Amino acid sequence: MHHDMKRFVREILKSPRRRAIPIMTSPGIDLIGAKPVEVFRDGALQFRCIQALAGAVHADALVTFMDLSVEAEAFGSPVRYSEHENPTVSGSIASTPEAIDALAVPEVGAKRTAEVLRCAELCAANLDRPVLGGMIGPFSLAGRLADMTEIMILAAMEPEAAARLLGKTTAFLTGYAKAIRSTGVNGLVIAEPAAGLLSPDMCREFAADYLKKIVAAVQDDDFMVVLHNCGNAANRQIPALVSTGAAALHLGNAVSLPELLPQMPPEVLLMGNIDPVGVLRNGTPEEVYAKTAGLLRETAAWPNYVLSSGCDVPPGVSLENIRAFFRALDDYNQTVK
């Protein structure tokens, strides 16, 4: 379904009413009675989970599944599946310069990327509000292909080899982002958590400069890019992250948003950052409500703030806790009309 996303952002910036866009799909697995091991292999099941959540709570935009093993699997990485958790990459395939040079860039649609595209297409055709697709970022993908320790060593000691690997991950992800856009969804969340391990200068060199190419290839009035970084160094990385040109940054709960918002350009949205495990999964509804209401009060001075979870909401979060999150938002919005 078409939405003018530039207008969507403008409306957020000029309205005192807060919006909520949590990174939340896994609770839909419980709503439809499915198993994660089945859902993460089936785009139609993923759509059913998102559709069920859309009927249960009113997020201002919906997101597709944040499965950060999909793209590495397309490159040939081994992936371990679980009955209860997200799939994970279980071994490296590009940890040396020689292996990097031999690594082939897969076609978009390889392996489970086809199911991601299938889910996005179903969401775009059937849901009543903006939908944001999801994919991993180039540095985090490189970390899954090479192993995180190895990509950090390569970046520090053999930057030319790291750049060759990042060139391959960026080439694939640019085409993948274009394919996600072509499904009709309205934007894209690019998850780049591994960039949170980098210094500000290295973040720009090995993450932001590559992300900028992807953003430039797909973002326009009808399609927005949200850049997710859940590291604890984001307070020092804001200039690098903003330099990507993404319409929004989404930050994890390791940082303080009230401290970071003054660094943000006023036209760039900042989303986050209720703890998805410590609060949303493990807290009581009363604790969820209190934490959410507190964050809304602390960010009240910044029109570019959007309420969200700090990262992907895990399986096992109760519907009562999710409703407490949205009830706090509704009560806050009653005070600013």
Side-chain angles (χ1 to χ4, degrees):
M1 185 176 298
H2 175 264
H3 294 273
D4 183 333
M5 297 308 288
K6 193 167 187 178
R7 179 180 177 183
F8 180 77
V9 172
R10 284 200 308 268
E11 289 176 349
I12 290 173
L13 294 175
K14 69 182 183 182
S15 172
R17 185 177 77 85
R18 287 295 188 215
R19 310 297 179 95
I21 307 175
I23 308 297
M24 182 175 66
T25 50
S26 289
I29 297 174
D30 293 331
L31 289 177
I32 70 167
K35 296 179 179 179
V37 72
E38 299 169 346
V39 169
F40 285 103
R41 288 184 166 119
D42 189 326
L45 272 179
Q46 292 172 28
F47 162 69
R48 286 181 55 203
C49 295
I50 298 164
Q51 184 181 45
L53 275 171
V57 296
H58 192 81
D60 289 281
L62 300 164
V63 298
T64 61
F65 277 75
M66 186 183 284
D67 177 354
L68 303 188
S69 68
V70 166
E71 299 87 354
E73 188 178 52
F75 271 87
S77 294
V79 170
R80 181 172 57 250
Y81 291 88
S82 165
E83 288 290 330
H84 306 292
E85 297 178 347
N86 291 13
T88 57
V89 174
S90 58
S92 64
I93 61 170
S95 57
T96 66
E98 295 75 19
I100 290 169
D101 291 338
L103 186 68
V105 177
E107 294 292 328
V108 171
K111 302 288 183 67
R112 288 182 297 132
T113 63
E115 296 304 316
V116 172
L117 296 172
R118 184 184 183 196
C119 172
E121 187 171 7
L122 287 168
C123 288
N126 293 284
L127 300 178
D128 63 353
R129 66 203 81 161
V131 178
L132 308 178
M135 73 178 197
I136 199 169
F139 185 76
S140 296
L141 176 54
R144 279 156 176 76
L145 298 175
D147 178 81
M148 274 312 306
T149 299
E150 292 303 321
I151 192 60
M152 295 298 289
I153 292 171
L154 286 170
M157 306 298 294
E158 298 188 69
E160 297 86 359
R164 293 198 300 276
L165 180 54
L166 286 163
K168 292 185 176 186
T169 60
T170 303
F172 172 74
L173 291 173
T174 301
Y176 190 35
K178 290 178 179 178
I180 290 172
R181 176 184 166 132
S182 72
T183 66
V185 295
N186 313 105
L188 177 64
V189 179
I190 303 178
E192 190 66 295
L197 301 172
L198 298 170
S199 69
D201 287 343
M202 292 184 74
C203 180
R204 187 179 293 271
E205 180 179 359
F206 293 103
D209 286 351
Y210 293 93
L211 286 161
K212 187 184 301 183
K213 298 175 183 178
I214 300 171
V215 174
V218 294
Q219 183 170 266
D220 63 12
D221 289 1
D222 297 325
F223 193 87
M224 70 181 290
V225 176
V226 179
L227 175 58
H228 169 74
N229 179 314
C230 55
N232 60 10
N235 59 326
R236 297 182 290 115
Q237 295 177 336
I238 294 297
L241 300 177
V242 168
S243 76
T244 64
L249 302 185
H250 186 284
L251 301 182
N253 51 283
V255 296
S256 168
L257 295 192
E259 293 178 6
L260 293 183
L261 276 160
Q263 297 185 48
M264 291 291 297
E267 72 279 6
V268 178
L269 302 181
L270 183 63
M271 303 179 178
N273 71 344
I274 299 296
D275 185 342
V277 176
V279 175
L280 289 173
R281 188 179 70 184
N282 298 339
T284 65
E286 293 77 17
E287 289 168 338
V288 172
Y289 182 97
K291 287 287 188 180
T292 306
L295 183 58
L296 288 165
R297 289 193 300 270
E298 291 168 356
T299 55
W302 288 276
N304 56 335
Y305 172 67
V306 176
L307 178 66
S308 186
S309 52
C311 196
D312 190 18
V313 173
V317 175
S318 70
L319 192 57
E320 290 79 9
N321 280 8
I322 294 170
R323 285 174 172 158
F325 171 90
F326 282 98
R327 188 169 67 253
L329 175 67
D330 291 341
D331 289 350
Y332 174 86
N333 282 335
Q334 289 295 322
T335 70
V336 297
K337 284 186 175 180

